[in-house]
Every structure is written in structure tokens, then in C-alpha cells.
Amino acid sequence: MTAFAQQLIYGASYGMNLAVAAAGLALIFGVYRVINLAHGQLIMLGGFVAYVVATQLGTHFFVGFFAAMIVMGLLSIVLENAVFRFLQRRPLTDQLLASLGLYMVLGTTALRIWGDFEARPIAMPGEDWALTAGEIRIDGARLVTIAITLVLFASLYFVVYRTHLGRTMRATAQGEETAALMGIKKRRVAAIVFFLGGALGGAAGAMLGALFNVRPDMGFQPLLMALVIIIFGGMGSIAGSIVAGLILGILYNLTVFYVGSKLGDLVPFLVLLAILMIRPQGLFGLPDRNA
Amino acid sequence: MASSFGVIRAGLLGAALCAGLVAGPQLAKAEDTFKFGGVFTLSGPASFLGLFEEAAVRLAVEQFMKGDCIVEAVPPQPCEGGGLKIGDKVIPIEWTAYDDVSEDKKSIDAVIRLVEQDEARAIWGPRMNSALLSAASILDPQGIISICAICSSPAMTVGRKYGHDITDTGVIEKHGMGEFIHETPERLAEHGIDPALFDGRKKLGFIGRNELYTVHGSIGWQEAVEKGGGRYEYQHDWAVLYPFGTTDFAPHVAKLAEQDPDIVLMDAYIFPDMLAIMNEMKKQGLNYETGEIILLGNDVLMLQIFVDVAKDQGINMSSGYVWGWQEHNPAQDEATLARVEKYVPIYNAKYGDTEVGNSSPFDRGAYDAAIWFLYGVQASGDHTDNDKIVEAWRNLKINGLRGPTNEFFTRPDTGEKTGQLFATEYIIGVADEKVFYTGISYRDELFYGPYVYGDKLPK
Amino acid sequence: MLEIDDLTLAYGVNRVVRGFNLSVDQGEVCALLGPNGAGKTSILRAISGLMRPLAGQINFEGKSLIRRAPDRIVLDGIAHVPEGRRIFPEMSVLDNLLVGASVHIRERTKTRELIERNYAMFPILKERARQAGGTLSGGEQQQLTIARGLMAQPRLLMVDEPTLGLAPAIINTLADTFRALKSLGLTIIVAEQNAEFALRVADNGTVISGGEVSFSGTVDALRDSERLRRAYLGA
């Protein structure tokens, strides 16, 4: 029972990190209708920005964290301008191929710079203490990332549902042309959505990097999980991302612990298969969105 | 028939099956150069394992052509420059290398190109385990010699006539650790190690990334336990093998902790993986700083630079409970040191400022292997007959940068020379934040089991 | 107020509107009539900047609208209520209205006044303010799209096919709405297949068939027109 509870906690903390990564992907897909596989590398590069700013320049974790969000947000806008705006009306395969290409370009670039797989740590508040209850422990650093995640989601919720900016994003998601008729600038919404999506990727990268060291291959598993999370949670649904992230993180940990470590990677695919069979529109997705 | 034959040859599998038939006449053709090719990982995530190897082999070929070999064959072979001395002719060496960009498919493409277009007689690499197996199925039937100095895989040699592994393997390494944990208290004490180090320890664990190298490693670990006759408990299916791309190691370490091991062998070789696992172990009660467990690692764990990096992350490896091995003799004799002192400045001048970096024991092993092979070709007296080359090379020894008289392992059952280096494992520890050689080493006792020699690798 | 000269519109090589002319005066309600596919929607899209003309001129209050972005055209004073009742279905009625006010959302008092005015004109929207747009009935959704168009405080309102799929009783209410808007001095272009409705609310009408103007004149002249009938029958 203790072991089970412990795995729930580990899984929930990992799942929250994944949810942040997935929310960026979900936001971009929800509003802009593009699947951005390069998101995995924004997570990785976010980790490196946080490392350079926090560790190499010797500032605080949060300075690196916000730098990662801002730099990845800006990079994401650049990618939208350079690549994604030509893909919006193209078939899914084109989007996947082009964004996979970007994934490789960014990945190879990172390997050119940091490909030695040296250990790149980021000092983080909470890493030297832990909460314990009996034999169950929660590392301080994990608690800090859970807190950050909650703040990020609250902020995201506020922006999307409580500001006019969010209203224009939602309107664009539900009817891009109609939104344009209301005087909403399509390019501006695209820039904002990509900024927020990239910033969330950067945040996820900074947190994962601080918890487990920054490394050039760190974007792959979160990308894989994030893709399943947004399908599971309902494409474009932010609330769905949190719930699906938690479920997937916990399932991953329970599988590793109770079934076998080698099978951990199978979990997202099994979940995906199950969703596609039982509830193709995802947890929070509506069966039929408007055109 | 002829046209369909062409179509089949275009396919990968087809190439493997048919090239044997086509290659026959090519081998018979008299040649005035010796064609030698390689497939290395020069870019992509695994390039740190390929750059130095390619650099060392290229340097070896260049030096052989210049007549400045540094290392010596036993019995001696000439190194007079211009190429291989075969009879009274001098045959130039033609060296071609391809980058596999860390991808299996690209490395097989490169192997096929080397065989079909470049007509290479011997091929260095590929290194990646999965590619290595496919390459073996292409090369061995055609009698093309294959060589690797960092493959660490039984698949290079076991059941293969033309494969050569010029390093230890994951299995041999674990056999080495297995010998160490079965040492008598007297021998430990003799070498300044706490004689009670292993007292009361029974259950063993194993953690590594899910790949062929660690799967073989875990099997070797189980074999070592079996050889010890029941002093320890370990089964291959206990191995915790985490997937590629794992970032959160908590559940994997938890799985290991659940087994409640007394000794854990960590078979990881990427710094961030190792540090994450070691941090998580401390949190989850698998503490090697306090002696809760003994942590055994490999040659990467026992690099001084790793000990330094770990220290920066608050990991203390000097507790006396962390041990590993090196394949490279830390206590070199004077003649070897002299060779190394000559080699290192040449290598560093050529590569030090490039992405290859300065010399380490790893590139020295590759350099030894390359020159050793070229001496072997010479010794055969016929650079156009791979059977003669293999026979001559395997019976030659080398006084290399890694030490004197490196030789190939002889199968005890048939008395034949194999393509496997008769490697020695040197037990290394950490004290006062510095790695040190214990003076304990193993060689003869490590070469047992179907993964070390035999007619075929077990499935 | 709005002058369209020799407008030609095309999707790829397919010309949907050829040499179209239209003049709308301040305070006028102008009906664009014609069967489905005649080019009415394309003309409205060209005016609101969603579609770039192949040739011709569009001037609004003396300013050319050619190559002007849709959001600038909204600011200029033209609101386009698209066909098919394109509300934002997952957003509340209030949010739908606020999106309509995007061009001047920072002027809070103005926005609040516009909302109150809309609630007065369409009381059902006040009742349903917190409900998701998608849960409204067809007639309510049409009211919402018009109200949302009005939120931009336009001087010219363009409504595309307002009666499509609505019950006769609801169409009557809609006609009242148009009359009320006209009495407020708003200039309106209504594109309709439903000639009966168009003739009830409009002052002038232009009939389009096959991308060309086949008749233009007052509603009275239209009412008895042989051409109107022919346009619809495609004869």
C-alpha cells in the first residue's frame, strides 16, 4: 500500500510536468489546428535556456525558468512565421512531416552544442528537503514543480477564460473567419497562441531539467506523452490536459513498478489505443466541434 | 532471371543474400590497393562514441602509410611507410569512412555501399548493437572482415568467422564484477579493501537502459552469480531496464528498491542517466554513501571526471561502497608509457581543437586495434585472401598503447583463436574523491559461458 | 455611402461575379437577391475584406476598401454577419457579444452601453447571457449574430441569408428587427434567397444571376418584375 501511494505521488508529479508540456501543444492545436511535433525540442531547448541562465550565469532557478518561457515563446513565434503559417491549411501528413523536420533540425543543433551528454544540473528550490509521512516521501523539488504547474494552469485558465485576449483566442478556435469579421487580427492571435504554447514548453523543459538534469534527448518522452495526453484529454482542451497528464503519469509509474520497467513506454500507446476505441473524441472533447 | 536478380539486389535483404554470390569473383581479383572502410557515428546523439574512434583509426592508417606506427607487433612486423609490405611489394591502403548519423538504417546503407561500391575488404563498425547484428549477417557470409574497438558486444565474435571485437564485452565486464564480489576477505585485505565489504550481502540488483548491451550485461551478471555457487542471488528477469529517453527515474529506481538488493550494478554510461539514478537511489534508501548498498558501476562510472561531476551534484562516491572496473591498465609499464607519451601529443595536435577532443584510453584502444589489424594483413603475406588475413592476425600479438602483448582469446574447447580480445578487467575504487586502481585484475577467469565463446549466440 | 464599380471576383480561374455595380445610400436597406450560388456571399466577402477582387473598385464613404484587412474594415464601420449563423458555439452569449466588440474593447462604457442596447432589442439574449451559444435555438442564434455584428457599432450592417432555415413566425420577428434597425438610421445590405422577406424589409433591390446584375431598382419596381421571377427560375 505504501509503495502504491508512493508511486501515485511520483506519477502525479511527473504527470503534472507532462501536463504543462501537453497544454502548450493543446493550445496551439486548439486555436491554430496544427500539430507541432517540434514542441518536444522546445521543451528540451527550454531546459538548456534555464540551464544557461540559472546555472552558467549563476542566477536563481526562477530567473532561468522565466527566461526559458520567454525565449521559447519567442522562438515559437519565429517558427510560426517561418513554417507553420504555411501548414495551417495543409493535410495532417504535411504538418507532421514538416514539424518532424523542425524537430530534427532543432535536435541536431542542440547536439552540436551540447551533444557530449555532460551532466547539466539546475539548482532548484526544495531539492534539499522532503516531506515524509511514514514511509512515503515527497521531494521538495517535486512539490515546487507541482506548485508551479498549478500556478501556470491557473494563469492559463485566467488568460483564456477571463480576458478579452482569451476570448479572441477561443473565438478564433471556434470560427477563424467569423472571428476575423469581428475585427480580430488572425496573425496577432497566431503570434500570441504560439508564444503561450512555446512558453509552456519552455516551462516544462525548465522544470524537467531542474528535476532530472538537462540533456539533448530530454524532449522525446515528454513529446510522446504530450501527444497522447492531448488526444486523451480532447484535442485542444486545457482542462483535459491536466486530467490526462495526471492519469498518464500515474499509469506510467504504476506500470514500471508493478509490471516491468521495460514496458513503461508501452503505456502511452496502450492508452492511446484504448481511447481511440472507446472515446475517440477524448475525455473533454465534444463529439462534434463546429467547422 | 537476370533482371529479377537485379530487382532483388536493390533490396536490403536481397543484397545480404545475393552479394555473397556476386562477391566471389571480386575477391579473386588481384588488387594493387588494400581497401578498408568504416561506418562511424559522427553526428547525432551517439556521436560521442564515434568521433574518437574514427579519428584514431584514420590516424593509424595515416601513420602506417608514413611508416610511424608507434605500437609494435609480436612477433615484429615492418612499418616502413607507403603501405602494407606484402612480399616485396608495397600495397597502399585506401581508407573510406561514412557517418551513420546515429541511425541504424543509415549504418546498414553505409555497410552495403562499402561492400558493393567501394569493394572494401575489411569494415570497421558499425557500433550500434542493432546495426551490428544486421551488418554481421551481411558481412560474415561474404567473408568480409569486420572490426570494432568499442562495440562491447558478443555479437561481434560469437559464432562469427570474420568478426573482431577489440575490447571487452558487456558480459566479460560483468564476469569481472562477479569475480570481485566473490573475493576472499584475505585477498581484499591484501589490497587494502575492507575484508568485510561483502559480508552479509546476498541479493543483487541490476539497472540500465533497455538495450542489447545491458541485456547481455544482465545475463553475464547472472552467469557470474551462478559461477559463484549460491553465495549471491540474482536472476536476469530482475533487471530494471528503463526505456530510451527516460527523464524521471523515480519509478525505475523504486522498482529496484522494492527488490531490496544489497549490491546494485548500474550499467549506465550516459552521465545524466547515471546522476539521476544515483540521486534517486539515495532518496529511495539505496544509499551507497552509507553502505546501505554497494554500488558497482562500469568504466564510465570510474572516470575521474565523472567522480568530479557527481561531487558537484552532492554525490559522494568516496564512501568505500562504490566500485567499478577499467579495461585499460591503470598501472602501465615503462615501455607502454613511452609509447603513450609519443602518441598523445600527435593525437592532441591533430584533434584536440576539433569536436573530437583530446586523447583518452578509448581512442588509444582503437588506434592499437587498427595498427594491429594492418600488421595482421602484412603477416598473412596475401592481402587478397581474408581467410589468411584472419588466421595471421589472430596469431599476432601487439605491444600497444593499452599495454604489452595484447592477444586474441583462444577457445579452450577447440584450441582455435577467436576474434575476441583477451581483455583484462582492472578493479577500480574511489577514495578521497579520486579513482584508484586496487591492484586486483582478472582475465583468464572471465572467459566462460556461451556469450563469450561458442559456435552461436544463444537466443 | 457604398459604391461598387465593375467588381469581378473569382475562385481560382472560376469567375463567380462579373462587372458588378452597386450603390447604397446612407440609411438605405438594400437587398441582394438571387438564387443559391449567384455570387451574393462572395460580394459581401469582398466588401468585408475576406476575399480579394480580381478587378473593380469598392469605396466606402469615399475610401477604397481594396486590399484592406478585415479588422480595418470593421473599424471603418462595416459589420458583416455571415451566413449559416456562425456563432461561437462553446462561448457564452455574453462572450459572443464581447467578441463582436473586439475593435473597441478597451472602451468599457461604450461596450457596456452597446450590450444594454442589444439586450433591450433582443431581450432573450439577456435571459440567456451565461448560456453557451450552441444551446440557443435557430432564431435566437440569428438574433445573436445580428446583435454581435452591432457590437462593432457599424454604420453599414451586412447580413447574409438571415432567414435560412427559420420558421415563418420567427421570420416575422426578424423583419421587425430589420425595421427597427432601419429606424435607428443604420444602412443595411441583406443578401437573401427569400425574395418575399427581402421585399418586405428593403428599400431597393439588386437581382444577381450567374454572377451578373440582372435587375436593379426599387422594391416596388421589383415586386412585379418578370426578371425577378426569371432570375429565380434560371430561365
Side-chain angles (χ1 to χ4, degrees), chain A residues 262, chain B residues 202-207 214-215 217-226 232-241 256 259:
Chain A
K262 280 185 273 188
Chain B
K202 179 106 187 137
K203 269 193 94 179
L204 307 187
F206 185 97
I207 184 166
T214 50
V215 170
S218 166
I219 292 170
W221 192 222
Q222 179 179 322
E223 286 175 343
V225 168
E226 284 162 5
Y232 294 105
E233 285 172 11
Y234 178 73
Q235 284 168 22
H236 172 48
D237 59 354
W238 295 353
V240 174
L241 301 175
L256 188 65
Q259 298 167 358

Side-chain angles (χ1 to χ4, degrees), chain A residues 3 7 10 14 111-112 115 117-119 121 137 139 142 212-213 215 218 221 252-253 256-257 259-262 265, chain B residues 43-45 210 240-241 243 245 247-248 250-252 254-255 258 270-273 275 280 283-284 309 313 355:
Chain A
Q7 288 314 307
Y10 282 139
Y14 188 43
L111 281 167
R112 283 271 158 219
F117 279 83
E118 282 294 332
R137 57 171 284 135
D139 302 321
R142 284 178 192 261
F212 314 117
N213 280 329
R215 45 195 292 175
M218 66 185 275
Q221 201 181 46
Y252 176 82
N253 276 43
V256 166
F257 190 76
V259 186
S261 48
K262 280 185 273 188
D265 263 6
Chain B
S43 53
N210 188 17
V240 174
L241 301 175
T247 44
D248 189 351
H252 302 284
K255 174 128 184 109
E258 180 76 359
I270 293 177
F271 281 17
D273 283 10
L275 292 165
E280 204 57 51
K283 288 178 187 167
Q284 300 199 22
V309 167
Q313 295 210 15
E355 58 185 335

